[in-house]
Amino acid sequence: MHDPTTIEAKWQAWWEANRTNEPDLDGAARPYYNLMMFPYPSAEGLHVGNLYAFTGADFHGRFRRLRGHDVFQPIGFDAFGIHSENYALKVDIHPMELIPRSIANFTRQLRRSGIMYDWSRTVTTTDPEYYRWTQWIFLQLHRAGLAVKKEAPVNWCPSCKTVLANEQVEGGRCERCTAEVGQRLLSQWFFRITEYAERLLANLDWIDWSSSTLTAQRNWIGRSEGALIRFALAGEGDGAAGVEAAGGAEGAGDSEVAEQADGTNPAIEVFTTRPDTLFGATFMVLAPEHPLVEALTTEDRRAEVEAYRTAAAAIDLVERRKTEERTKTGVFTGGHAVNPATGERIPVWIADYVLMEYGTGAIMAVPAHDQRDFEFARQFGLEIRPVVAPPEVVAAAADPAAVDLELGDAAFVAHAAGEQLVNSGAFSGLHAEEGGERIVAWLGERGLAEPQVNFRLHDWCISRQRYWGPPIPILYCDACGTVPVPEEDLPVVLPHLERFKPGDDGVAPLAKDASFYEAACPSCGGAARRETDVSDTFLDSAWYFLRYPSTDFDDRPVDPGRTRRWLPVDMYIGGEEHAVLHLLYSRFITMVLHDLGHLPFEEPYERFRKHGLIIREGAKMSKTKGNVVNPDEYIDRYGADAFRTYLMFLGPYQEGGDFRDSGIAGPQRFLSRTADAVRAAVATGATGFPDPDVERAVHATIRQVTGDFETLSFNTAIAALMELLNALRAGGRVPTVDEVRPLVVMLGPIAPHLADELWEELGGTPSLFEHARWPEHDPAKLRTDEVELPVQVNGKLRATVSVPRGATEEAAREAALAREGVQRHVADGEVVKVVYLPDRLLNFVVR
RNA sequence: GCGAAAGUGGCGGAACCGGUAGACGCGCCAGCCUUAGGAGCUGGUGGCCGCAAGGCCGUGGGGGUUCGAGUCCCCCCUUUCGCACCA
């Protein structure tokens, strides 16, 4: 049993003294930027989940390095944000004191893990020299018109009188005082990421990412094609429940509608993906906070409408999104609008199932063909009128303009498989999809509709009414208005506030520090007030990878030369939990900086691979369950090499796996036996490949392991090396140094300390990672003269026979039939067919 | 509800284009060695029948395609994750 502690300390010191892990950023010939998601340095220390992620990325980086690349593998700390702030509040230690401690602890843990970090180029987001450039990025977006101020709702605890982050709301209640949480409108800064929605979506077609991550991004962006349709408001008495429009396209454009579309009377605009169902729109629904509600509401309905709006506003943002089991609620406003297709007066309701944030905040309700509208109509007894039907129903009807379609308990939503329009005037009988286009075109002539694309992606709210973040670099001046802080005045330093708790009065912590917010207007020199919100942590992490190669430049965020050489990132490995927000935001920021001329590329990560989640004995790790793995304990006990090997062996890296204490014994034995075998080989000094079977095993393993590393299949790579070791030691044989050398090199990415030690013992110049090359397999060495041919009868395996490579079918048959087990089954009937795949398989088909 | 992924021994997991299911490891069993220690070494280990040779069954369930299906197609069940009334 070898003692890992000594050699791990030895090699860590060696690597550091010789700057083994610090590539020459200006001279590297084959730069390879291997990025991993930098951690949030929690006070509890490094989590095994972090280490799992980093270890896999390190396997990849070290592999690339042994393949001849100059690998840059930096690390940093994402240290701003609500987690740190809340923890600091809990333990009552100021974050400016707590964070450096946590970072020191993380650094200690990471340094002993054997990961090939370049410690000379770290990035910490809370460092003013870093967030100076975070603020600079804000200013670039502001100047480009991509940072704007808008009103937006936040979670609001009426008892604590404070803004709450979504994480602080539990079951609709404040996690601290359990009061019911509501919403409040605040003026906040937004980045207009929606301007980039189309490009962010389009580029997903060519970047090389894990497919599930691409799907998640596509869904999040949520592009839908449809139409914007305008429904004129109907006056109190006019617009009889007319049906004349049902006569057809010509008749439908009644003068009243045309008149009202000219702007004298505001129309209700809706977005729909189903313009084909317009003739079935029997009512409308607005979001409770829709601006037209006021105007639409009739006197007799006012009290009820107001009550509903107030109640809706009191539901917090988190709860409102939880929709299961909620029955539809809503209130009639008393107002009406005109269906532009039928000319009918239809009632306008408000309901909280319509969201102000999506589309126009208003919908045309087609209960026959939308499940939500259907439920709402059933709830309130509104008309349900089918306008789309399956072709067989249409075929059976005398007139497609007057079809009676029976709906059961659900709306009929199909429309893309040949369904046809019915009860839709002149459009009746058309296929639904074509009908929809024709209806939009027809209304378009009157300015009542136009094709439109909508995204579910929202603009990115970056304002946080908290303390622990970079101040937003904006000033408000009575004379000059909103004034950006001049770039030369950056950073706007976050002051050391003793009392940084979110205010009892709802204002941001920085708004209580006059020495912070009182400033001179950079434009007129008069009194101005600083923005007191800080920015979202996601902004810090949206560009950290751009900074790593340029950390030694203090006069620019990114150095053009370094950036050209190292970026975009060659490989980014990280958790799927960041599949959407972090990855999308960093793509957006990169795209904007590209457009503004600061970067020569618009996609930051050429390849992204997600890693899986690690669980503990079948259950998620959590502090409350007490099943959290502390890496320190395991490294103390088994060494970093064995721990790394086990982490990557316990399951497929991209799917995650189950951590079991007992499992670590296997990898530990494997490393120990490898050391024994190598040392035995060195002791005898025998060279060459005396045994062709062993030589073949060496080459087969090289091929297998190389392929596995390419696809991040680390578990099978380790298994293949274990197999090789078993072959080298089979029957108590002692391997030669030549047999063992490729094993040691391939062990490099897995157990770097031991591999470097054994490399040295084999007579190599340290470090392995500087002087060894990944072995290549020789295809000629894989060939055998004899092959084991599986023989089947009717697809069932009956024997395997040894035949010469490339044997003819006759020869193979003869060899197979010579076997009694085959003969017996073949003799049962007549051989009607023989399937022969040379060197692979022989199958007799017997009837 | 929508989206994504996955169901294989006692356990973690292998299996490239359909072609010897269970590699590798844990655990377990037997043996060896030993100052019995949770060390090391050797061999065995899917289930059932059989002294054996060998046979039958077997990749969540049910159908199908094929000489041949863990792998492809259809239906169903279960689990995990993400989104959550997106019009």
Side-chain angles (χ1 to χ4, degrees):
Chain A
M1 179 103 268
H2 82 283
D3 168 35
T5 317
T6 324
I7 66 161
E8 290 183 4
K10 169 184 165 184
W11 288 102
Q12 283 168 20
W14 200 97
W15 297 331
E16 192 174 348
N18 292 281
R19 307 168 70 114
T20 307
N21 301 338
E22 301 171 20
D24 173 3
L25 293 193
D26 297 311
R30 295 184 68 198
Y32 190 92
Y33 191 166
N34 187 43
L35 182 69
M36 44 195 99
M37 289 180 172
F38 69 160
Y40 142 68
S42 74
E44 291 90 358
L46 191 66
H47 188 269
V48 70
N50 294 324
L51 210 47
Y52 183 73
F54 301 152
T55 301
D58 188 57
F59 271 45
H60 176 73
R62 288 185 182 273
F63 169 67
R64 274 278 119 82
R65 182 156 182 192
L66 286 166
R67 300 275 275 176
H69 287 93
D70 298 291
V71 177
F72 179 41
Q73 202 168 278
I75 189 68
F77 299 99
D78 188 16
F80 266 136
I82 195 154
H83 283 104
S84 308
E85 184 174 322
N86 286 347
Y87 191 82
L89 284 168
K90 193 173 135 199
V91 299
D92 198 27
I93 301 173
H94 196 278
M96 287 188 178
E97 204 179 309
L98 192 63
I99 287 296
R101 270 196 236 171
S102 302
I103 288 177
N105 187 40
F106 259 62
T107 303
R108 177 189 63 78
Q109 291 184 296
L110 288 172
R111 278 180 179 273
R112 65 193 302 238
S113 67
I115 299 168
M116 193 176 69
Y117 289 128
D118 180 346
W119 285 103
S120 69
R121 299 182 184 276
T122 60
V123 149
T124 300
T125 56
T126 50
D127 180 350
E129 279 308 302
Y130 178 83
Y131 69 70
R132 165 189 187 177
W133 301 114
T134 308
Q135 292 169 337
W136 177 87
I137 287 172
F138 177 93
L139 294 178
Q140 306 313 304
L141 271 85
H142 186 260
R143 198 190 314 156
L146 291 168
V148 294
K149 227 173 177 200
K150 306 195 268 200
E151 293 250 301
V154 292
N155 294 308
W156 177 254
C157 172
S159 153
C160 305
K161 296 196 178 62
T162 185
V163 170
L164 298 179
N166 283 349
E167 301 89 313
Q168 296 174 294
V169 181
E170 283 173 5
R173 292 173 179 277
C174 172
E175 67 170 8
R176 284 196 310 219
C177 70
T178 72
E180 280 203 31
V181 174
Q183 302 172 36
R184 200 182 207 207
L185 281 180
L186 286 183
S187 177
Q188 314 199 61
W189 284 99
F190 283 81
F191 282 170
R192 297 173 63 192
I193 190 171
T194 49
E195 292 286 305
Y196 280 70
E198 204 73 74
R199 259 164 90 192
L200 288 166
L201 183 68
N203 284 4
L204 295 175
D205 291 342
W206 60 265
I207 54 180
D208 176 13
W209 283 24
S210 292
S211 63
S212 59
T213 313
L214 292 173
T215 306
Q217 292 239 332
R218 286 195 183 98
N219 291 344
W220 190 264
I221 295 169
R223 184 181 196 273
S224 12
E225 286 186 17
L228 186 78
I229 300 181
R230 298 186 179 87
F231 285 62
L233 299 189
E236 295 268 340
D238 60 8
V243 286
E244 73 271 27
E250 277 69 37
D254 84 37
S255 60
E256 177 193 51
V257 177
E259 206 174 321
Q260 287 177 336
D262 68 14
T264 54
N265 204 350
I268 303 175
E269 297 193 325
V270 303
F271 173 72
T272 179
T273 53
R274 294 291 308 279
D276 55 307
T277 63
L278 180 57
F279 283 80
T282 51
F283 59 100
M284 301 188 81
V285 187
L286 308 190
E289 62 269 44
H290 194 286
L292 281 176
V293 174
E294 197 71 15
L296 276 158
T297 305
T298 54
E299 274 318 307
D300 56 318
R301 308 290 310 156
R302 193 159 299 276
E304 216 180 319
V305 167
E306 282 310 318
Y308 188 82
R309 296 181 92 187
T310 308
I315 299 172
D316 79 89
L317 296 167
V318 178
E319 265 325 278
R320 183 161 172 190
R321 299 214 164 88
K322 294 196 177 145
T323 57
E324 53 187 339
E325 307 295 322
R326 280 193 64 199
T327 50
K328 297 273 182 292
T329 60
V331 173
F332 177 45
T333 62
H336 289 81
V338 179
N339 181 326
T342 63
E344 287 170 329
R345 253 167 77 93
I346 58 175
V348 181
W349 288 61
I350 60 172
D352 65 4
Y353 82 91
V354 175
L355 308 175
M356 196 60 219
E357 310 92 83
Y358 185 77
T360 61
I363 62 160
M364 65 177 210
V366 184
H369 305 293
D370 180 280
Q371 186 58 26
R372 296 153 302 181
D373 299 343
F374 180 83
E375 286 165 21
F376 193 81
R378 279 280 161 92
Q379 183 88 18
F380 295 104
L382 297 161
E383 187 192 350
I384 299 174
R385 184 190 302 165
V387 291
V388 177
E392 59 275 15
V393 172
V394 180
D399 176 7
V403 170
D404 199 17
L405 178 72
E406 281 297 317
L407 289 173
D409 286 339
F412 177 73
V413 297
H415 67 289
E419 285 78 10
Q420 287 169 265
L421 296 188
V422 296
N423 309 330
S424 297
F427 300 97
S428 302
L430 292 175
H431 280 209
E433 290 191 320
E434 188 200 344
E437 286 167 25
R438 299 261 297 261
I439 288 172
V440 173
W442 166 59
L443 291 177
E445 289 165 17
R446 288 160 192 77
L448 296 174
E450 60 209 53
Q452 202 186 51
V453 172
N454 240 290
F455 295 92
R456 67 193 293 173
L457 181 69
H458 296 130
D459 278 339
W460 174 15
C461 177
I462 62 141
S463 293
R464 295 291 181 273
Q465 295 73 40
R466 304 287 298 209
Y467 170 63
W468 196 230
I472 293 173
I474 286 287
L475 290 150
Y476 303 102
C477 167
D478 285 340
C480 312
T482 302
V483 183
V485 173
E487 288 183 18
E488 59 273 20
D489 292 351
L490 296 180
V492 177
V493 175
L494 182 70
H496 188 293
L497 274 198
E498 269 319 313
R499 295 173 42 80
F500 58 88
K501 231 178 191 172
D504 294 349
D505 40 12
V507 295
L510 291 177
K512 281 172 284 179
D513 182 6
S515 67
F516 171 78
Y517 66 71
E518 286 177 355
C521 171
S523 169
C524 69
R529 188 186 157 92
R530 287 190 190 279
E531 168 66 63
T532 53
D533 284 354
V534 299
S535 61
D536 183 6
T537 327
F538 277 114
L539 180 57
D540 304 327
S541 58
W543 75 283
Y544 74 107
F545 57 95
L546 298 173
R547 183 63 182 162
Y548 281 134
S550 301
T551 48
D552 45 341
F553 294 93
D554 59 8
D555 62 340
R556 62 199 88 164
V558 294
D559 176 67
R562 290 278 176 80
T563 299
R564 216 174 306 112
R565 189 180 292 266
W566 290 96
L567 284 150
V569 167
D570 292 282
M571 173 65 107
Y572 195 19
I573 292 178
E576 182 94 285
E577 69 274 19
H578 291 117
V580 176
L581 295 181
H582 162 62
L583 290 174
L584 195 66
Y585 291 152
S586 54
R587 291 181 61 216
F588 165 64
I589 292 294
T590 303
M591 227 172 248
V592 171
L593 292 177
H594 166 262
D595 290 355
L596 298 178
H598 299 292
L599 295 174
F601 51 87
E602 64 172 40
E603 283 294 335
Y605 319 117
E606 293 200 330
R607 291 176 85 199
F608 171 80
R609 292 292 179 274
K610 59 136 199 187
H611 61 74
L613 283 181
I614 184 163
I615 55 172
R616 177 85 182 272
E617 289 170 9
K620 224 178 196 168
M621 279 185 224
S622 75
K623 260 177 286 175
T624 47
K625 282 191 209 124
N627 63 349
V628 175
V629 173
N630 176 1
D632 278 332
E633 282 172 34
Y634 288 86
I635 293 177
D636 287 344
R637 237 160 87 203
Y638 304 99
D641 281 340
F643 191 56
R644 286 166 61 93
T645 310
Y646 176 59
L647 283 179
M648 293 301 108
F649 182 64
L650 57 71
Y653 183 58
Q654 296 189 69
E655 282 159 45
D658 195 355
F659 189 100
R660 284 168 197 265
D661 288 348
S662 60
I664 204 167
Q668 188 191 19
R669 283 176 199 147
F670 163 63
L671 296 181
S672 171
R673 286 171 190 161
T674 302
D676 290 349
V678 171
R679 284 166 184 161
V682 170
T684 66
T687 58
F689 292 90
D691 181 339
D693 287 338
V694 170
E695 185 174 26
R696 190 176 317 113
V698 169
H699 285 273
T701 305
I702 293 170
R703 185 179 57 172
Q704 170 81 31
V705 173
T706 306
D708 285 346
F709 264 93
E710 291 290 355
T711 57
L712 312 186
S713 307
F714 305 130
N715 56 331
T716 49
I718 294 166
L721 292 178
M722 288 172 166
E723 262 187 277
L724 175 61
L725 179 68
N726 291 343
L728 294 178
R729 300 169 4 115
R733 78 187 283 280
V734 175
T736 69
V737 293
D738 291 322
E739 287 169 348
V740 117
R741 191 174 287 112
L743 172 62
V744 169
V745 177
M746 290 189 285
L747 195 64
I750 298 165
H753 312 86
L754 179 62
D756 230 335
E757 176 72 17
L758 296 176
W759 173 253
E760 190 182 37
E761 290 180 24
L762 279 167
T765 311
S767 160
L768 168 78
F769 298 96
E770 283 169 338
H771 298 285
R773 285 301 302 265
W774 190 261
E776 305 265 343
H777 81 276
D778 178 356
K781 294 276 164 49
L782 292 175
R783 295 176 66 86
T784 50
D785 296 337
E786 296 273 300
V787 292
E788 287 295 307
L789 188 71
V791 180
Q792 300 179 336
V793 178
N794 289 340
K796 273 184 189 293
L797 181 73
R798 294 303 175 187
T800 61
V801 295
S802 185
V803 296
R805 173 170 295 280
T808 61
E809 182 175 331
E810 279 77 352
R813 269 205 217 201
E814 200 176 312
L817 290 170
R819 294 287 287 270
E820 197 222 331
V822 178
Q823 186 61 248
R824 185 170 53 231
H825 289 94
V826 169
D828 285 351
E830 180 196 351
V831 175
V832 296
K833 187 175 173 184
V834 176
V835 179
Y836 181 55
L837 303 171
D839 303 336
R840 299 207 23 225
L841 171 112
L842 178 67
N843 186 18
F844 294 97
V845 184
V846 175
R847 286 277 143 67

